[in-house]
Amino acid sequence: MSKNSKNKKLNNKSVNTAPNTNELTQVLICMGTGGVAAGALDVWASFKEELVLRNIPAMLGKRSCKVKQTGCRGLCAMDVLVDIIDPKLGKHTYKHVKPEMVSDLIEKHILGHEPIVKWFAGKDYEQFYVKQERTVMKQYGLVDPESIDDYIEAGGYIALKKAFKMEQVEVIEEVKKSGLRGRGGAGFPTGMKWGFCHATHGNDKYIIVNADEGDPGAFMDRSLLEGNPHAVLEGLIIGAYAIGCNHGYFYCRAEYPLAVKRLKIAIEQANEHGFLGDDILGSGFNLDVKVKEGAGAFVCGEETALMASIEGMRGMPRPRPPFPAHQGLWKKPSNINNVETFANIPLIINNGGDWYAGIGTEKSKGTKIFSLTGKIRNTGLIEVPMGITIKEVVFDICGGIPGRKRKFKAAQMGGPSGGCIPESLVDVPIDYDSLVEVGAIMGSGGVVVMDNTACMVDMSRFFLTFTQQESCGKCVPCRIGTKTMLEILTRITLGHGCEGDVDLLISLANDIKGSSLCGLGQTAPNPVLSTIRYYRDEYDAHIREKRCPANSCKALLKFEVIEELCKKCGICLKQCPVDAIIWKPKTKAVIELDKCIKCQTCIDACPFLAIH
Amino acid sequence: MCDNNDKPCCGAHKEIDFGAADEILNQYRGKEGVLIPVLQKIQAEYGWLSQPLVEHIARELNIYLSEVYGVVSFYSQFYTEPRWRYTIQICRGTACHVKGSLRILENIEDELDVKAGQMTKDGKFTVEEVNCVGACGIAPVVILGQKTLGSITVAETLDALRNFEEQ
């Protein structure tokens, strides 16, 4: 297929044009947030120190070794991931690299040319990439996110030059042709949105990148900004040109300091190279871009609330109309798109809208990045073509559910605005419309996988706690309605639920959905409705039998070992932080309730689900 | 009055030096939409936003005090109470929740005898629930001081806390 050959071409190009690749051994260390949390900085320091210690002329030219930091690789569960690319042996990937392993890696692999097989990332790592289609994330792991030269070498800013040779409407037409829909969650066609804003007069307009990735469990935007900020920036500049606006903003949440730092570096470098500022590439087009840091408010992901926040006010949504395309930031026409949406733009301009429209399903085009987290073997970021099934994602790419007695129960998609997809629906294709049909949404792409130890009532309560806290309070249904729903859910999980609570929840949910001002309130009841739809029996068990079928709600637990299920393995004893478990080989474990602090560690640890 | 010198000062009884704040204010005066960055920078300088500071900002930027407090109380990253140098942040995102972050939070609260959002009695730690930090791949996540601890269990968290005290 033509799209594949195009991919390959681009891939080869990016490898061949890297500096001195032929002579250098390259060490690529994953330095995303996941990598850094797993100790990537220490590994990086060890490599540098060892290379100096061993008098290997590190980064000094030919036959030496280049140590390079890379953005998030996606497979955070195996961090710290390190690639060693030997000119003769090719690329080998190591997982769970620790500083103490560095000396051996240098000795045996870099100097001795003998890779250490036992530390290889192995089959799971390869499996992780087989069904993925990495277009937006293609340059991950190859490009240093703090180097514009790296990005340019890998084919960056070619799309920008191409776009500037096109008419504005031609650019918009190309994006329309691609079928790209907003990656922030709602899925509005991007080309159409640009068209609305383009149609307004003057150049005193604003283009905004929504990097306020507040959905808990979603981190693809963080990863894009940390891993390849120039790609997003390039998309923004192309968008600004197409719409005809001179002011750009990144609104980035304050919880992502590394993303903010790398963005600022990228903007500075783009200014130096003439991709930003006045008279960009001699076209006469001007664009200045600023970064605004959020201050911690989920509702600011809503476009009108975000604009209020940039203006320095409380981030509260405004009623629409007027729509932002006519009256947005500072009452000027404004266009706002998600980080991932912008990251797709250079690809569309480079390869054409038709190429992009060839990927995915009839109504959902292209690829989508998902963050797979929760009770799953390989957590991390994946990029897949639209239309792939949940089953393929969970089991083929991410390796399924860890633990012998643990089974897949549900995948939660769309965060606090979304819903659950139960086991019976794992064959549903992932596209905007199919997901809505089953009561979930695409959302920004967070997928939290739950196994049979997750209580669905507790999950509802968790999401309502979140939305209730983040409700800005401007409209009554959201402010008071979500609070009432939360109170009902809380009493159910505490064992005080009463008959009729579930029906009351459904009725409240529908009212809140119908009458709230903005997207936060309109979607806040979704997690509750979705869990009631598929797991009503669990609600009933909590209310009628005062029992939590998943053994998760603390107030309903007895902290007793079930004799028939206990395999007498003693794992619970090793995990208990207060030594409250009595166990001897070949005997059933017993929990001493006067010592037990009810931390539930044993319940999580027991492979046989024998504690309730 | 502050009666304990080991604790961060409540700021109520002594004159605050507005010098650093004024320097920040001077960079922003007369521009539009600057309140949030001004508050962020001043908080970074002073650690938290005391009442005299907030009043000073309102006066200098010529914004109603109620409006400034409206913004300060709206966003979770602004603090109107003193915080100690060490914060224990427990991520309460979905992935961390599924992997047991509530249990970790409850056990930290029990261990230190505080509730989330409060400072310990010895003034050593502030315990905080935070929204998703985006490190879901290594959930559950606890940020102890400057250090991010990923894939952590209750027992490991308590160990880390106890060892931290010994430092």
Side-chain angles (χ1 to χ4, degrees):
Chain A
M1 265 167 75
S2 66
K3 74 180 185 207
N4 281 338
S5 63
K6 254 176 202 164
N7 273 346
K8 269 185 195 135
K9 242 186 235 166
L10 281 166
N11 254 329
N12 286 341
K13 197 178 162 203
S14 64
V15 174
N16 286 340
T17 51
N20 300 328
T21 321
N22 294 335
E23 295 93 18
L24 284 172
T25 298
Q26 291 192 69
V27 180
L28 308 176
I29 304 168
C30 177
M31 297 278 251
T33 297
V36 170
L41 288 170
D42 295 338
V43 173
W44 162 268
S46 296
F47 264 107
K48 287 194 126 177
E49 198 186 306
E50 284 279 335
L51 290 171
V52 174
L53 213 70
R54 283 161 191 269
N55 210 13
I56 302 168
M59 292 183 283
L60 287 179
K62 288 178 184 174
R63 284 190 308 281
S64 69
C65 181
K66 185 178 162 94
V67 185
K68 206 166 158 183
Q69 56 176 315
T70 65
C72 184
R73 212 76 69 78
L75 191 48
C76 307
M78 291 191 185
D79 269 329
V80 179
L81 283 163
V82 174
D83 286 344
I84 298 183
I85 307 175
D86 187 287
K88 291 200 188 77
L89 299 173
K91 183 171 103 174
H92 292 96
T93 306
Y94 293 99
K95 67 176 172 181
H96 300 305
V97 176
K98 304 237 153 30
E100 54 269 25
M101 294 157 66
V102 168
S103 154
D104 276 357
L105 284 174
I106 292 179
E107 183 79 32
K108 295 198 177 123
H109 191 152
I110 298 178
L111 297 175
H113 302 289
E114 278 186 15
I116 307 173
V117 180
K118 64 175 176 184
W119 291 338
F120 277 177
K123 222 169 139 195
D124 264 10
Y125 182 77
E126 287 150 29
Q127 189 66 31
F128 189 68
Y129 292 99
V130 169
K131 282 204 174 176
Q132 293 199 47
E133 185 161 335
R134 292 203 160 199
T135 53
V136 177
M137 289 172 76
K138 190 183 64 208
Q139 290 157 337
Y140 273 47
L142 293 170
V143 173
D144 180 344
E146 297 185 10
S147 158
I148 194 172
D149 295 328
D150 253 34
Y151 181 66
I152 292 172
E153 271 162 22
Y157 290 107
I158 290 177
L160 179 69
K161 287 169 191 162
K162 193 175 167 189
F164 272 59
K165 290 194 187 103
M166 296 158 76
E167 294 290 324
Q168 288 174 312
V169 279
E170 281 176 344
V171 176
I172 294 175
E173 218 32 64
E174 209 58 45
V175 176
K176 275 187 187 164
K177 221 195 286 173
S178 75
L180 174 66
R181 291 169 68 173
R183 295 293 192 245
F188 194 81
T190 307
M192 215 191 272
K193 204 175 197 178
W194 285 13
F196 293 150
C197 199
H198 173 77
T200 54
H201 293 292
N203 275 0
D204 205 7
K205 306 175 195 173
Y206 290 89
I207 188 163
I208 304 164
V209 182
N210 186 346
D212 191 58
E213 186 178 49
D215 269 10
F219 55 99
M220 58 289 303
D221 294 350
R222 170 183 67 70
S223 184
L224 279 168
L225 294 172
E226 288 175 2
N228 202 355
H230 281 289
V232 185
L233 185 58
E234 188 179 0
L236 169 78
I237 305 168
I238 294 170
Y241 167 73
I243 293 166
C245 66
N246 299 139
H247 316 284
Y249 275 110
F250 277 92
Y251 186 89
C252 189
R253 68 194 287 246
E255 286 89 341
Y256 289 173
L258 185 61
V260 171
K261 180 187 146 203
R262 290 193 173 156
L263 255 182
K264 286 184 174 163
I265 294 172
I267 290 171
E268 201 182 302
Q269 290 173 338
N271 264 314
E272 284 163 10
H273 279 72
F275 298 134
L276 280 178
D278 291 342
D279 192 22
I280 297 170
L281 301 172
S283 64
F285 177 73
N286 308 333
L287 177 66
D288 73 292
V289 174
K290 292 190 187 105
V291 180
K292 278 269 177 182
E293 281 173 61
F298 174 69
V299 69
C300 289
E302 202 277 341
E303 55 183 12
T304 57
L306 186 152
M307 289 167 190
S309 181
I310 292 182
E311 289 168 11
M313 297 186 284
R314 287 167 74 97
M316 303 219 273
R318 302 162 186 163
R320 286 165 293 189
F323 286 93
H326 300 114
Q327 240 184 65
L329 185 60
W330 310 116
K331 296 215 160 61
K332 300 280 191 229
S334 305
N335 178 81
I336 181 161
N337 292 112
N338 168 267
V339 170
E340 195 186 332
T341 313
F342 279 118
N344 273 290
I345 298 295
L347 294 166
I348 292 170
I349 299 300
N350 267 331
N351 302 312
D354 290 329
W355 163 79
Y356 195 85
I359 312 172
T361 67
E362 195 196 336
K363 285 184 176 166
S364 304
K365 301 296 186 192
T367 58
K368 173 82 189 85
I369 305 176
F370 290 98
S371 58
L372 265 288
T373 59
K375 298 288 179 75
I376 194 161
R377 209 175 291 273
N378 298 327
T379 54
L381 281 188
I382 61 162
E383 184 177 349
V384 287
M386 295 277 193
I388 197 168
T389 64
I390 311 266
K391 196 174 172 182
E392 285 173 283
V393 166
V394 171
F395 292 96
D396 298 346
I397 298 178
C398 293
I401 316 293
R404 264 185 291 174
K405 292 271 174 179
R406 285 7 181 204
K407 283 192 289 272
F408 176 83
K409 182 171 189 175
Q412 210 283 343
M413 294 191 70
S417 315
C420 286
I421 293 158
E423 204 202 342
S424 56
L425 293 172
V426 285
D427 287 320
V428 166
I430 300 181
D431 63 63
Y432 289 98
D433 312 294
S434 307
L435 288 175
V436 170
E437 258 172 54
V438 298
I441 58 165
M442 177 79 78
S444 54
V447 182
V448 182
V449 177
M450 285 169 269
D451 66 6
N452 47 346
T453 61
C455 169
M456 303 318 272
V457 185
D458 176 63
M459 282 316 292
S460 291
R461 187 180 66 107
F462 167 78
F463 282 118
L464 253 290
T465 311
F466 181 80
T467 35
Q468 202 274 317
Q469 237 167 39
E470 296 295 335
S471 169
C472 76
K474 188 166 181 172
C475 71
V476 178
C478 179
R479 183 179 70 227
I480 297 173
T482 56
K483 190 164 173 59
T484 311
M485 284 182 78
L486 176 60
E487 281 166 4
I488 297 171
L489 287 165
T490 305
R491 73 170 179 243
I492 296 176
T493 56
L494 290 175
H496 307 313
C498 30
E499 211 56 48
D501 272 357
V502 176
D503 294 320
L504 184 56
L505 279 173
I506 295 173
S507 139
L508 270 169
N510 288 326
D511 289 347
I512 296 168
K513 272 173 82 95
S515 55
S516 292
L517 176 63
C518 83
L520 191 149
Q522 286 156 12
T523 59
N526 286 354
V528 183
L529 287 175
S530 149
T531 48
I532 292 177
R533 177 167 165 188
Y534 297 116
Y535 302 96
R536 181 145 187 171
D537 53 330
E538 283 195 27
Y539 282 83
D540 291 340
H542 281 75
I543 295 170
R544 292 178 192 156
E545 300 162 39
K546 311 294 172 206
R547 181 175 69 86
C548 175
N551 289 335
S552 163
C553 295
K554 193 155 113 181
L556 304 178
L557 290 175
K558 296 188 195 119
F559 292 95
E560 279 171 10
V561 179
I562 307 167
E563 184 128 30
E564 325 55 279
L565 295 178
C566 178
K567 296 273 193 256
K568 309 175 171 91
C569 65
I571 285 175
C572 52
L573 169 85
K574 285 178 203 135
Q575 299 279 333
C576 179
V578 289
D579 300 325
I581 293 174
I582 307 170
W583 174 82
K584 282 196 198 93
K586 293 183 189 161
T587 61
K588 186 192 106 172
V590 177
I591 300 172
E592 288 186 284
L593 289 175
D594 50 336
K595 273 194 195 169
C596 175
I597 55 168
K598 302 191 172 179
C599 68
Q600 289 163 275
T601 304
C602 53
I603 292 178
D604 291 341
C606 178
F608 311 103
L609 309 174
I611 303 173
H612 71 150
Chain B
M1 280 288 284
C2 297
D3 49 7
N4 188 344
N5 289 332
D6 295 336
K7 285 185 189 175
C9 176
C10 69
H13 70 294
K14 67 172 186 187
E15 285 287 305
I16 295 183
D17 177 11
F18 290 129
D22 285 334
E23 224 165 87
I24 294 163
L25 283 161
N26 285 338
Q27 296 166 21
Y28 287 96
R29 226 182 288 268
K31 293 182 194 163
E32 270 185 305
V34 298
L35 181 56
I36 292 172
V38 162
L39 289 168
Q40 280 167 332
K41 291 211 164 151
I42 290 183
Q43 178 170 278
E45 192 66 39
Y46 290 83
W48 62 292
L49 297 166
S50 62
Q51 191 179 331
L53 261 178
V54 176
E55 284 168 1
H56 184 72
I57 293 166
R59 202 162 43 236
E60 293 296 310
L61 291 179
N62 201 16
I63 302 176
Y64 287 118
L65 181 59
S66 58
E67 207 177 302
V68 180
Y69 259 113
V71 169
V72 169
S73 59
F74 185 81
Y75 295 97
S76 62
Q77 304 236 320
F78 294 128
Y79 307 107
T80 48
E81 288 192 13
R83 292 148 46 81
W84 197 243
R85 252 184 321 148
Y86 302 120
T87 52
I88 306 169
Q89 299 179 315
I90 299 98
C91 176
R92 294 286 291 129
T94 320
C96 289
H97 178 76
V98 170
K99 291 213 165 175
S101 70
L102 183 63
R103 290 164 208 181
I104 291 177
L105 172 68
E106 286 170 352
N107 278 282
I108 290 175
E109 287 178 336
D110 287 349
E111 171 83 12
L112 298 175
D113 193 21
V114 283
K115 286 276 159 214
Q118 294 175 341
M119 192 168 66
T120 53
K121 293 198 178 64
D122 62 357
K124 184 156 190 163
F125 295 108
T126 300
V127 180
E128 271 178 355
E129 287 182 80
V130 289
N131 283 346
C132 184
V133 294
C136 316
I138 51 167
V141 175
V142 171
I143 303 167
L144 181 57
Q146 296 290 317
K147 204 166 176 199
T148 306
L149 309 168
S151 310
I152 195 166
T153 63
V154 170
E156 284 164 1
T157 316
L158 296 180
D159 267 1
L161 271 182
R162 286 165 194 160
N163 289 336
F164 193 92
E165 285 180 328
E166 282 163 21
Q167 279 171 10

